Amino acid sequence: MVKKIRVLVAKPGLDGHDRGAKIVARALRDAGMEVVYTGLHQTAEQIVNTAIQEDVDVVGLSLLSGAHLTLFVDVARLLKEKDIHDVLIVGGGIIPQDDVPTLKKAGIAEVFGPGTPVDEIVSFIKKNVKR
Amino acid sequence: MTDLSARILSGDPRAIARLITLVENESADAIPTMKHIYAHTGRAHVIGVTGVMGSGKSSLIYELAVVYRAEGKKVGIIAIDPTSPFSGGALLGDRIRMMELSTDSGVFIRSMGTRGMMGGLTGALYDAVDILDAAGMDIILIETVGVGQDEVDIVKIADTTLVVLVPGLGDSVQTIKAGLMEIADIFVVNKADTPGVEQTVAELEAMLDLATAQTRAIPIVATSAKQRQGISLLKQRITEHSEFLKQSKQFETRRRQRYEAELVEIIKKRLLAFIFDEATLRDTVDRCITQISNKQLDPYSAADEILGRILK
């Protein structure tokens, strides 16, 4: 039995900046995880369906456009609607501190802003993965 | 029948996804379900897509899937990317080219790491194909890792193997080398919108002319996945190959080879687990390795000793 943590790194919405997402994807790969990357401009439905087919343990959302209150929340809501409760959701990007409590209430376990050391993200995932 | 088996047979995506995870993790929990669903496998046409990295395999698979979907066929896709031999992690990025399909309920896409398997495939591939097959997929497309000249294991599992080339890979001698160039049922020259495509097709034709003992002319199809050219023709060639297999009885021969490869794989895995995990043997194995390190024993004699203990 060789269990590996599988992570979906997804870019919802319209912004075209995925350097941060790629850095995180690479760091998670180097930490021994299997990382599925979606590429840019994904809808919440695409992200959730991909999370299901890929049977991931973690969904990591990256957004720099400011639409996180809509799009992150949509992903969390869709997962709940499909009765999926064992997937850890984390977010990153340009997220104002004031929005963090709302996101956490919606089911985003943690939000990582610019400058977060990647090791912190790796250890958060390892500690909080739900299965 | 297990609850999971029933859900697989009804095509439930979450059940398919979960069972693939279990076989990837080599979990014993998968085995009862694999046994149950096995009678429902063998119906799907399995298409292997292999070729060098960057040749456009993912985009080509996306375009083929779109064409099959237009006919109402259900499509399963398995996309394999390399696992790092250093960290054990993997970046699975083939889906990027296929995301438009992720909201189509008639398509199931799964990305898999090689997890140490050589030959361009992954250890759980036979199981993953059986699962998608039992779940009712009509067409299963397998994307190998980007291969060199020698990763040809895809032929052990695919009914039809596409070798994807692009213009500008080298001179005509490259095309008569062994390995990858021998396994194509259909050659695809992708990126036909770039210069040099005529020359690549001509060199392939010249290579195929040199072959003497052929039962079937191997078609060459020039495609541009980006510009959606040649895809319908490629699909037609795949259908023709499938009909050829059935008429020539080669279908049965190939399937027998696949089942043998699958059986050997399962036996190998279990035998290795038995030798290296079994508590009673572990001591002997450890002592042999110590003696090998000290050059008191050679690996052949050690293998004789260990196998002798098992077969006793």
Side-chain angles (χ1 to χ4, degrees):
Chain A
M1 179 85 183
V2 266
K3 165 86 184 125
K4 279 187 206 282
I5 297 177
R6 286 173 65 89
V7 186
L8 180 66
V9 172
K11 284 283 304 172
L14 296 176
D15 80 275
H17 306 281
D18 65 349
R19 190 172 152 72
K22 283 176 176 162
I23 289 172
V24 171
R26 160 100 205 241
L28 299 179
R29 183 203 79 181
D30 289 343
M33 300 179 199
E34 286 187 343
V35 184
V36 180
Y37 179 49
T38 61
L40 301 169
H41 310 316
Q42 302 302 309
T43 64
E45 288 81 6
Q46 286 175 319
I47 292 168
V48 168
N49 280 0
T50 300
I52 290 171
Q53 292 179 0
E54 298 289 354
D55 197 25
V56 293
D57 307 287
V58 184
V59 173
L61 300 167
S62 165
L63 193 68
L64 285 77
S65 72
H68 47 272
L69 284 179
T70 315
L71 293 169
F72 285 12
V73 172
D74 277 353
V75 170
R77 179 180 48 78
L78 264 177
L79 280 168
K80 259 183 228 150
E81 276 174 21
K82 298 204 180 222
D83 203 27
I84 297 168
H85 306 284
D86 57 356
V87 172
L88 179 73
I89 312 169
V90 294
I94 311 291
I95 317 285
Q97 266 312 314
D98 291 351
D99 293 345
V100 173
T102 316
L103 291 175
K104 288 198 171 173
K105 212 173 144 201
I108 316 299
E110 192 54 89
V111 177
F112 302 100
T116 308
V118 285
D119 293 348
E120 198 177 300
I121 303 173
V122 169
S123 57
F124 182 85
I125 287 175
K126 284 187 173 164
K127 208 177 294 166
N128 292 283
V129 74
K130 296 181 187 176
R131 57 181 202 206
Chain B
M1 196 192 279
T2 63
D3 174 45
L4 193 57
S5 318
R7 288 172 59 206
I8 296 286
L9 296 180
S10 74
D12 173 358
R14 285 179 70 189
I16 300 170
R18 185 51 55 93
L19 186 56
I20 294 178
T21 302
L22 290 176
V23 294
E24 270 200 302
N25 292 348
E26 295 177 19
S27 163
D29 294 343
I31 294 172
T33 307
M34 291 308 298
K35 288 180 179 174
H36 277 134
I37 64 171
Y38 199 75
H40 302 270
T41 64
R43 296 177 202 161
H45 188 72
V46 181
I47 303 167
V49 182
T50 190
V52 296
M53 64 178 178
S55 54
K57 295 183 293 299
S58 308
S59 306
L60 204 58
I61 284 178
Y62 168 77
E63 296 297 340
L64 276 174
V66 169
V67 175
Y68 282 118
R69 285 301 294 143
E71 291 182 353
K73 296 217 163 77
K74 293 183 81 181
V75 179
I77 299 172
I78 300 170
I80 308 169
D81 265 329
T83 295
S84 163
F86 308 107
S87 70
L91 190 62
L92 310 173
D94 293 323
R95 258 195 111 98
I96 297 175
R97 323 253 175 255
M98 311 175 190
M99 286 306 286
E100 294 295 317
L101 295 170
S102 56
T103 47
D104 180 344
S105 62
V107 179
F108 187 100
I109 308 172
R110 181 63 173 243
S111 315
M112 299 175 83
T114 51
R115 297 200 182 186
M117 182 89 163
M118 308 301 278
L121 306 182
T122 177
L125 185 61
Y126 293 103
D127 286 338
V129 167
D130 286 339
I131 293 165
L132 291 175
D133 194 340
M137 303 298 161
D138 302 298
I139 301 288
I140 299 173
L141 290 151
I142 302 169
E143 176 176 352
T144 72
V145 299
V147 298
Q149 297 172 315
D150 204 23
E151 289 110 329
V152 296
D153 284 354
I154 187 67
V155 293
K156 292 185 194 161
I157 190 161
D159 299 317
T160 302
T161 299
L162 313 185
V163 172
V164 185
L165 304 171
V166 289
L169 285 179
D171 64 18
S172 57
V173 180
Q174 298 295 340
T175 60
I176 52 172
K177 287 185 177 170
L180 185 65
M181 301 304 287
E182 291 177 281
I183 63 168
D185 296 308
I186 299 167
F187 278 109
V188 182
V189 180
N190 196 26
K191 305 197 181 179
D193 50 309
T194 59
V197 62
E198 295 86 0
Q199 195 191 338
T200 305
V201 171
E203 281 169 0
L204 277 172
E205 280 168 350
M207 171 200 76
L208 294 172
D209 278 346
L210 296 176
T212 46
Q214 260 180 21
T215 52
R216 164 182 166 268
I218 298 172
I220 303 166
V221 185
T223 57
S224 166
K226 199 169 77 181
Q227 300 186 352
R228 306 201 156 171
Q229 284 167 8
I231 309 298
S232 303
L233 181 63
L234 178 57
K235 201 219 77 182
Q236 192 187 324
R237 294 284 177 264
I238 294 169
T239 309
E240 285 163 10
H241 179 252
S242 164
E243 282 158 10
F244 162 80
L245 285 180
K246 278 167 192 155
Q247 281 159 14
S248 68
K249 303 254 159 62
Q250 276 204 37
F251 183 73
E252 208 187 316
T253 316
R254 287 205 183 192
R255 283 288 168 98
R256 280 192 70 91
Q257 284 168 352
R258 166 171 149 197
Y259 300 142
E260 176 167 344
E262 182 169 11
L263 179 60
V264 168
E265 203 57 47
I266 293 170
I267 293 172
K268 259 194 211 163
K269 248 186 225 166
R270 289 208 185 166
L271 203 54
L272 284 179
F274 180 73
I275 293 169
F276 289 98
D277 299 338
E278 188 72 9
T280 52
L281 279 170
R282 190 67 235 187
D283 289 347
T284 313
V285 171
D286 282 341
R287 179 179 48 74
C288 285
I289 292 171
T290 309
Q291 287 181 311
I292 291 169
S293 324
N294 299 335
K295 307 291 170 197
Q296 293 164 329
L297 190 68
D298 66 274
Y300 285 100
S301 307
D304 286 342
E305 185 182 335
I306 292 164
L307 289 172
R309 284 207 46 184
I310 295 170
L311 298 172
K312 193 170 55 184

